[in-house]
Amino acid sequence: MKWPILRAFPSFSPRYLRPFIRICAQRSALTTGKKLHAMVLTTGLSTTENSFLLNTLLHLYASCGDISSAQKLFDEIPHSSKDSADWTSLISSFSRQNRPHDSLLLFAQMLEKGAEIDDVAMVCLFSACAWLLDVGVGSQGHGHVVKMGFERRVKVCNALMDMYGKSGMVEEMRRVFTEMKEKNVVSWTVVLDGVLKWEGVSNGREVFDDMPHCNEVAWTIMIVGYVGNGFSKEGFLLLSQMVFHLGIKLNYITLCSLLSACAQSGDVAMGRWVHVYGLKMMGMEMDIMVETALLDMYAKCGRMDTAIKVFECMPRRNVVSWNALLSGLAMHGRGQLVINMFPRMIKEVMPDDLTFIAVLSACSHSGMIDQGSYYFDSLQSVYGITPKIDHYACMVDLLGRAGRLEEAETLINKMPIPPNEVVLGSLLGSCNSHGKLQLAERLHQKLILMNPRNTEYHILLSNMYALAGKPDKANALRKVLKTKGISKVPGISSIHVDGQLHQFSAGDKSHPKTREIYIMLEDMIQRLQSAGYVPNLSAQVFPGDDAGVELEKEQALFSHSEKLAVCFGLLSTEPGKPLYIFKNIRICRDCHAAIKIVSKIYDREIIVRDRNRFHCFKQGSCSCSDFW
């Protein structure tokens, strides 16, 4: 659309301009739309009675994502000239920009001003509540749906169910679904997603099988549910049915979803299948989103060298690709490589705030204090990025791990924003590592006010009391959890063998090969002790202090989930083959010390991904250099 064309319209009548502005909105032609806006202002047309040009321009800016201009125009339009479409246009724009608080605030103003509430406004309200997990406001919105007779509006009911589903209120979600007079494939898909998340794959499969029509989204959700929960074989069966029997081609969204599930569960076999499929369907120049998801999957499955190869083969890379690589390297403890690659990155793309979270995290995991301090200080001065809470958390973690707890506490006190759980929890973890009990007690009091149900803080301080020779205080803390009915998050270690996920908890005896595993465990412990291993009983809290209790502590340590997973891996894989183990919480010090020796005794590379990072055990040492 060329500017000279606009000169052909006599007297610049709104009757001619409004269709052009609408076309700009439909085609996201913001530059041309701004020229039209300039014409409206310079010719005085915005003051013409009943022109509604400002309303049309508002929709243009909102649809193109220019929220500041849309907000400004919205405020300039008299209330008497605003209709529900103007309100919902701005609310929808806030929703698309992931600004749920602003959406809720504007919806409240809409109610206050007596504007007509339509189905679009209700969908935006429920989308914002789903994002914020705000069931309180969402339930009030449900009341409006009933009051205004919107129960027959399928889109409104779908958004309402999605809000309930994301908030874990499955019964309410099912009730809305049951009462719907008309259901479409989206309705079924929303229910499927909610049931899979909160009730598991068995119930999810029942919903999937009952669906009158399954689209690609429903198939993807069900397959991702299987893969993400470790049911690889079932996922493969459904995937082959989808691709080979029904002939449904996987698009980049489906491929990215599958790769994300593989990254979550550590299922590299499914990830490799997706890689091959992507190469066959897209060729060497795959979609950049798929390639980025691939390198992220390989990194999170412990195959960092493969992730680097994927990255180097990418014909083009954006900041998301670079961030995925740097984050992967940071998790694997390759801090120096992150620092070495950063200058190369800034020649290709402009780093963002997530880039520096990866860089600072890499410095933290590798004990690189000077480099971390340099990049933190450069955030604002060199790159124009205002430090966020996550950047401060990384610096507190970096200083705390290095034993510089006073500096870390000073940094927290100077923060321009209040510290959150991540910041204070990181410092508490460093207190545990360096035996700073008094500081830990102060932090513990603040943390339990923020989140009373988080067991990690109680357990950490309890362990510190045990190490300091204060078992009474240690037991008292654990009794507090028991009295409040709060249970500790159980440690679960997982390992993939022959395409099947095997999971273990401490003292687990539910596995079909339990007998062989415990025979292997006994042999492994004997060989460990012959090699100098001494169980670390200091943080084990048991009532009493006699020899029987000491033996009980040892047995509890010996049957930790990591050790059981290692034993199963040694039994079930060929000699010399690496073992990849995934744990949902932080690896304990005793298991870390034991697995280092195991890697040398059995000549195995053992890669453990815990909640924070990767530990690559090889020939008696760990990639973290005991710095985690």
Side-chain angles (χ1 to χ4, degrees):
M1 189 183 297
K2 300 294 185 182
W3 174 257
I5 295 177
L6 302 177
R7 303 182 186 277
F9 296 104
S11 71
F12 304 111
S13 169
R15 185 164 59 92
Y16 293 105
L17 286 177
R18 287 184 68 193
F20 269 84
I21 297 172
R22 289 193 184 116
I23 292 172
C24 290
Q26 292 168 2
R27 298 182 180 180
S28 298
L30 184 58
T31 302
T32 302
K34 285 183 176 181
K35 292 178 180 178
L36 289 170
H37 189 182
M39 177 183 291
V40 168
L41 294 174
T42 55
T43 56
L45 289 175
S46 60
T47 60
T48 304
E49 187 177 359
N50 298 324
S51 68
F52 301 111
L53 284 177
L54 291 182
N55 306 68
T56 311
L57 285 164
L58 163 64
H59 298 173
L60 163 72
Y61 285 119
S63 64
C64 291
D66 187 346
I67 297 184
S68 59
S69 298
Q71 179 82 64
K72 184 179 179 182
L73 273 172
F74 182 83
D75 294 337
E76 291 175 359
I77 298 172
H79 176 67
S80 58
S81 299
K82 291 175 185 171
D83 58 17
S84 60
D86 297 326
W87 288 89
T88 55
S89 180
L90 190 55
I91 293 174
S92 299
S93 187
F94 282 138
S95 296
R96 288 193 298 271
Q97 294 290 327
N98 293 332
R99 292 171 59 177
H101 288 288
D102 292 320
S103 292
L104 292 185
L105 182 62
L106 198 59
F107 184 87
Q109 292 174 4
M110 192 176 181
L111 285 175
E112 183 183 341
K113 297 292 185 181
E116 182 183 353
I117 304 296
D118 60 9
D119 51 354
V120 177
M122 294 308 303
V123 169
C124 291
L125 171 70
F126 293 134
S127 297
C129 292
W131 181 271
L132 296 170
L133 302 180
D134 192 338
V135 182
V137 174
S139 297
Q140 293 178 40
H142 191 174
H144 280 286
V145 168
V146 176
K147 182 179 179 180
M148 294 183 293
F150 284 169
E151 302 102 312
R152 293 181 179 274
R153 307 285 179 91
V154 178
K155 287 185 177 180
V156 173
C157 290
N158 289 346
L160 175 59
M161 288 192 298
D162 184 58
M163 183 273 297
Y164 280 133
K166 283 186 168 58
S167 302
M169 301 183 71
V170 183
E171 289 186 13
E172 286 77 1
M173 179 189 71
R174 286 183 179 274
R175 187 177 299 116
V176 174
F177 181 75
T178 302
E179 294 174 355
M180 288 176 68
K181 303 298 182 184
E182 179 187 346
K183 304 177 179 72
N184 59 18
V185 68
V186 177
S187 313
W188 282 94
T189 303
V190 169
V191 173
L192 172 63
D193 191 40
V195 170
L196 274 171
K197 183 176 181 180
W198 299 106
E199 295 184 354
V201 292
S202 179
N203 286 2
R205 184 58 190 263
E206 289 181 9
V207 174
F208 181 80
D209 290 338
D210 288 341
M211 291 179 71
H213 173 68
C214 292
N215 60 7
E216 185 177 343
V217 176
W219 280 90
T220 301
I221 289 174
M222 190 66 234
I223 295 168
V224 166
Y226 273 135
V227 176
N229 286 280
F231 295 93
S232 302
K233 289 184 178 179
E234 292 82 352
F236 263 122
L237 284 173
L238 207 60
L239 184 61
S240 62
Q241 185 180 349
M242 175 185 177
V243 174
F244 301 117
H245 294 285
L246 299 179
I248 300 176
K249 292 185 178 180
L250 309 182
N251 61 25
Y252 73 95
I253 296 175
T254 302
L255 294 176
C256 289
S257 298
L258 287 170
L259 290 168
S260 177
C262 295
Q264 171 191 323
S265 66
D267 188 354
V268 75
M270 173 69 85
R272 283 173 176 153
W273 186 94
V274 174
H275 193 173
V276 172
Y277 180 91
L279 288 171
K280 286 183 177 179
M281 297 302 296
M282 301 178 184
M284 291 304 293
E285 292 192 13
M286 279 192 285
D287 183 273
I288 191 170
M289 289 178 63
V290 177
E291 289 178 311
T292 301
L294 267 173
L295 85 86
D296 184 62
M297 179 275 299
Y298 280 123
K300 289 178 178 173
C301 287
R303 277 70 170 183
M304 195 62 228
D305 290 338
T306 306
I308 293 172
K309 288 179 182 177
V310 170
F311 177 82
E312 295 295 354
C313 290
M314 292 175 69
R316 64 186 184 92
R317 296 178 283 262
N318 57 19
V319 68
V320 181
S321 311
W322 273 99
N323 288 348
L325 177 73
L326 298 184
S327 297
L329 291 169
M331 283 195 306
H332 283 264
R334 301 190 187 182
Q336 190 58 55
L337 184 54
V338 170
I339 299 303
N340 292 343
M341 294 195 75
F342 184 76
R344 178 181 163 193
M345 174 189 179
I346 59 177
K347 290 180 180 178
E348 285 191 17
V349 297
M350 180 66 69
D352 60 13
D353 57 328
L354 296 178
T355 305
F356 287 96
I357 291 173
V359 171
L360 293 172
S361 177
C363 294
S364 178
H365 286 312
S366 300
M368 302 166 67
I369 300 173
D370 292 339
Q371 293 91 331
S373 299
Y374 168 77
Y375 282 110
F376 182 78
D377 294 338
S378 300
L379 267 173
Q380 183 80 58
S381 60
V382 178
Y383 300 99
I385 297 173
T386 301
K388 297 182 178 178
I389 192 74
D390 290 334
H391 300 112
Y392 283 103
C394 288
M395 277 306 296
V396 169
D397 189 55
L398 171 62
L399 294 169
R401 287 175 188 271
R404 294 160 64 166
L405 278 75
E406 291 182 0
E407 290 180 50
E409 190 176 18
T410 300
L411 178 62
I412 292 175
N413 293 333
K414 290 182 177 179
M415 283 171 54
I417 44 181
N420 62 7
E421 273 190 83
V422 178
V423 174
L424 297 183
S426 172
L427 188 55
L428 178 61
S430 298
C431 290
N432 180 44
S433 299
H434 297 282
K436 299 292 184 179
L437 185 55
Q438 290 184 342
L439 176 56
E441 289 174 326
R442 296 202 308 271
L443 292 167
H444 179 259
Q445 292 301 316
K446 294 178 181 179
L447 285 163
I448 59 175
L449 289 175
M450 291 181 175
N451 186 357
R453 300 192 66 83
N454 191 317
T455 62
E456 183 179 358
Y457 312 138
H458 292 75
I459 300 301
L460 270 176
L461 189 58
S462 175
N463 289 344
M464 291 185 71
Y465 281 136
L467 285 167
K470 299 179 179 181
D472 292 341
K473 286 193 172 184
N475 284 315
L477 266 179
R478 299 192 180 225
K479 284 178 182 177
V480 169
L481 294 178
K482 190 174 182 180
T483 302
K484 292 183 178 180
I486 306 173
S487 56
K488 178 186 175 183
V489 176
I492 304 293
S493 293
S494 309
I495 181 171
H496 288 269
V497 175
D498 296 329
Q500 191 69 37
L501 182 71
H502 301 264
Q503 294 184 317
F504 300 90
S505 58
D508 198 343
K509 294 186 178 179
S510 62
H511 195 276
K513 291 189 175 182
T514 289
R515 183 173 176 275
E516 296 94 319
I517 290 170
Y518 275 85
I519 291 173
M520 183 71 191
L521 177 64
E522 185 177 351
D523 177 69
M524 187 178 80
I525 295 299
Q526 288 178 357
R527 297 180 68 173
L528 279 170
Q529 291 175 333
S530 297
Y533 162 72
V534 177
N536 185 351
L537 306 178
S538 56
Q540 294 286 100
V541 181
F542 285 84
D545 56 1
D546 56 23
V549 170
E550 290 295 303
L551 181 60
E552 190 178 352
K553 289 182 178 181
E554 282 192 3
Q555 293 304 314
L557 279 178
F558 293 161
S559 59
H560 272 194
S561 63
E562 300 99 312
K563 296 185 181 78
L564 295 178
V566 167
C567 287
F568 176 74
L570 292 172
L571 281 171
S572 308
T573 59
E574 298 175 2
K577 187 175 181 181
L579 302 181
Y580 294 88
I581 296 167
F582 304 88
K583 188 172 182 183
N584 63 327
I585 61 176
R586 190 174 184 266
I587 186 173
C588 79
R589 292 192 175 277
D590 183 78
C591 286
H592 191 273
I595 296 175
K596 279 202 301 184
I597 303 173
V598 169
S599 70
K600 186 173 184 179
I601 292 174
Y602 292 90
D603 194 21
R604 292 283 194 118
E605 185 176 2
I606 304 172
I607 296 91
V608 178
R609 184 184 82 185
D610 70 6
R611 190 187 60 188
N612 297 326
R613 62 169 298 158
F614 277 89
H615 300 266
C616 181
F617 300 94
K618 193 173 183 180
Q619 290 299 313
S621 63
C622 178
S623 59
C624 75
S625 301
D626 298 336
F627 190 85
W628 90 103

